[in-house]
Amino acid sequence: MIEKRLLAIGLSGLALAGCAKDPQPVEQFRLSEQVLQQAKAVGADDQVEELKLAEDKFARAKENMDDEDYKRARVLAEQAELDARLAEAKVLTRKSQEQVDELERRIERLRKQVGEQP
Amino acid sequence: MKVRHGFAAAMLLGALGGCASQQSDEQVLDAARERFQTVKENTDVLRSAPRDVLRAGESLARAERLATYWGNGSDVEHYAYLSRRYSDIAWEHSQAALNQDRLAKLQLERERLQLALREAKLLSVQQQGQWLEEQMVSLATETERGLVLTLGDVLFDTGHSELKPAANRTVLKVVQFLQLNPKRIVRIEGYTDSSGDREENLKLSRARAQSVADVLIDLGVDPKRITVDGYGEAYSLAENASSRGRAQNRRVEVVFSDEKGKLDAPR
């Protein structure tokens, strides 16, 4: 009985070695939170797949933090950070593409008025 | 080795459940390597997002290092994921930067076209000016003294010098014509019939010519471009015996210079 328990403790200790002994990823949480806010500030919403991923992961990271599973909390928060960064980058690219399209439309209209072939 | 540790490995994987997923390390590494390869070979990406490319490389190296130790599957996957994300972010940044470059070029193109359009419009106004000139010519008559526009007697009340509102259209055309032909100048000449006092007629003819000049000046024509003369009953167009002939003789003539500003000498 005791041996069995020791074995279980030993195994779980070994197994969790990477997870449980990690420090609280406080700084990473702050960073992920900030990056998420920033992505939303530039206009990323749930329509952007990566932002949804980021929010889901960050929510799970918070749960893991509450459960004191700091390794998983950190991993998820790190991924959430980069998901959010990607979401932000995609939104910015899309916006610049829209500007390019709009300007091209305007130029097209101008060309027609000037009577110039493109 | 693997067989012997099979049980322990299974236990470990079970315990790590949340951290690890059972995808092959090599598969995730390959995906990350491929993505990294694409961005690091792209000069646009390197130029616009060097730090993200660097981090993609660092994360990939870390994933590869962890893959050499047994039991780090979840970490391998994690860092491979981060590497791919950094590569994707770098790629997006480069696309945005390319779009910014393109925007700058398009902006110049747009300005060039706007200028061209303005010039075209100006040209069309000039063409309109030409059209107006044709109208002017039909309204006025080309004489040996140049283009002469006659404002008839009906545009003035008997004995008065003020131009009647009926003359507005004609006057506006003159103003527009002069605006479009900035070098042209005019001489405004007044004439009367022979009835009445010669001196009075001279004064009236001059006053009528001056009132036309005043209207033109009011409408923005530079006074320096206008000279005013009164000839009284001289230079009659028709005999003064009939009322019709007299009416024809009561007139103001606007004599235009050529487009270079050369005006026929006064009478």
Side-chain angles (χ1 to χ4, degrees):
Chain A
M1 190 68 178
I2 286 170
E3 273 177 22
K4 245 186 174 176
R5 242 164 62 191
L6 277 175
L7 180 68
I9 290 166
L11 268 174
S12 63
L14 183 67
L16 289 170
C19 301
K21 284 181 188 167
D22 278 56
Q24 278 195 35
V26 178
E27 185 59 18
Q28 180 59 51
F29 265 53
R30 197 191 54 76
L31 183 62
S32 302
E33 181 76 54
Q34 186 194 325
V35 171
L36 263 164
Q37 291 310 319
Q38 199 177 313
K40 285 184 209 163
V42 302
D45 53 25
D46 282 356
Q47 301 295 99
V48 183
E49 191 197 326
E50 286 79 6
L51 188 84
K52 213 170 145 26
L53 263 180
E55 286 190 311
D56 290 349
K57 283 181 188 167
F58 197 45
R60 274 157 59 205
K62 282 177 179 162
E63 285 169 20
N64 287 320
M65 189 79 135
D66 292 343
D67 295 344
E68 295 182 14
D69 186 348
Y70 299 137
K71 163 145 186 183
R72 271 212 272 177
R74 178 182 59 77
V75 162
L76 285 167
E78 278 178 7
Q79 292 191 5
E81 178 206 334
L82 290 202
D83 291 343
R85 280 194 199 280
L86 183 57
E88 182 193 0
K90 281 195 166 176
V91 168
L92 292 176
T93 303
R94 192 188 67 206
K95 282 185 176 173
S96 65
Q97 187 60 49
E98 283 165 2
Q99 282 180 296
V100 166
D101 294 346
E102 171 64 15
L103 205 45
E104 277 176 342
R105 268 197 298 279
R106 283 177 185 278
I107 284 173
E108 189 53 36
R109 234 177 14 234
L110 275 169
R111 279 214 174 100
K112 275 191 190 135
Q113 287 187 74
V114 175
E116 200 178 88
Q117 296 305 312
Chain B
M1 189 77 169
K2 269 190 179 161
V3 178
R4 258 206 283 162
H5 285 90
F7 175 70
M11 290 290 287
L12 267 173
L13 283 171
L16 285 168
C19 293
S21 88
Q22 274 70 28
Q23 218 183 341
S24 141
D25 286 357
E26 268 316 302
Q27 261 178 309
V28 288
L29 282 174
D30 276 345
R33 281 190 197 111
E34 200 182 314
R35 195 77 188 110
F36 178 57
Q37 194 73 18
T38 315
V39 294
K40 86 170 178 188
E41 281 171 359
N42 186 312
T43 49
D44 288 327
V45 180
L46 282 179
R47 183 168 49 92
S48 47
R51 270 171 47 194
D52 291 313
V53 176
L54 195 70
R55 282 177 184 158
E58 284 168 1
S59 300
L60 180 60
R62 195 158 177 183
E64 283 171 330
R65 204 162 55 243
L66 286 164
T68 61
Y69 304 109
W70 183 84
N72 286 313
S74 64
D75 288 328
V76 172
E77 203 191 328
H78 175 58
Y79 286 104
Y81 184 86
L82 296 189
S83 173
R84 259 173 41 225
R85 279 311 197 211
Y86 276 122
S87 295
D88 288 346
I89 291 165
W91 177 262
E92 286 298 327
H93 283 332
S94 77
Q95 294 309 298
L98 287 176
N99 278 343
Q100 290 305 327
D101 291 349
R102 179 137 180 73
L103 276 175
K105 285 198 189 94
L106 287 172
Q107 192 55 41
L108 286 178
E109 174 70 355
R110 183 191 186 185
E111 279 163 19
R112 187 186 70 78
L113 284 165
Q114 281 173 331
L115 193 68
L117 185 64
R118 274 202 293 274
E119 277 169 2
K121 284 222 189 291
L122 204 63
L123 192 70
S124 102
V125 167
Q126 277 161 358
Q127 276 162 356
Q128 197 193 335
Q130 216 151 39
W131 171 79
L132 191 71
E133 188 160 343
E134 280 158 23
Q135 269 211 324
M136 226 36 222
V137 171
S138 69
L139 200 68
T141 32
E142 191 70 59
T143 69
E144 70 274 9
R145 297 195 296 142
L147 200 59
V148 176
L149 173 76
T150 302
L151 299 167
D153 177 52
V154 289
L155 299 176
F156 298 92
D157 284 326
T158 313
H160 286 81
S161 62
E162 290 80 28
L163 200 56
K164 293 206 288 200
N168 280 350
R169 258 178 79 118
T170 312
V171 166
L172 275 173
K173 272 192 183 138
V174 172
V175 171
Q176 212 179 347
F177 181 71
L178 288 174
Q179 276 168 350
L180 290 165
N181 294 272
K183 284 195 176 146
R184 286 192 196 254
I185 57 171
V186 287
R187 185 171 57 247
I188 301 170
E189 305 170 341
Y191 301 90
T192 61
D193 58 25
S194 62
S195 55
D197 182 70
R198 183 178 286 266
E199 258 329 289
E200 280 302 313
N201 282 338
L202 206 59
K203 261 166 74 181
L204 180 63
S205 68
R206 210 194 133 74
R208 283 187 167 177
Q210 185 60 54
S211 95
V212 173
D214 289 342
V215 173
L216 294 185
I217 292 164
D218 288 345
L219 290 170
V221 178
D222 186 347
K224 286 192 215 101
R225 298 172 68 191
I226 305 172
T227 49
V228 174
D229 267 323
Y231 293 107
E233 46 192 82
Y235 307 107
S236 57
L237 289 179
E239 28 65 56
N240 281 298
S242 71
S243 64
R244 198 163 159 239
R246 284 197 295 277
Q248 269 184 282
N249 289 336
R250 295 191 296 268
R251 68 199 188 275
V252 169
E253 290 179 359
V254 181
V255 183
F256 292 91
S257 75
D258 65 12
E259 57 266 50
K260 289 184 186 117
K262 196 174 168 301
L263 188 64
D264 188 65
R267 283 170 149 167

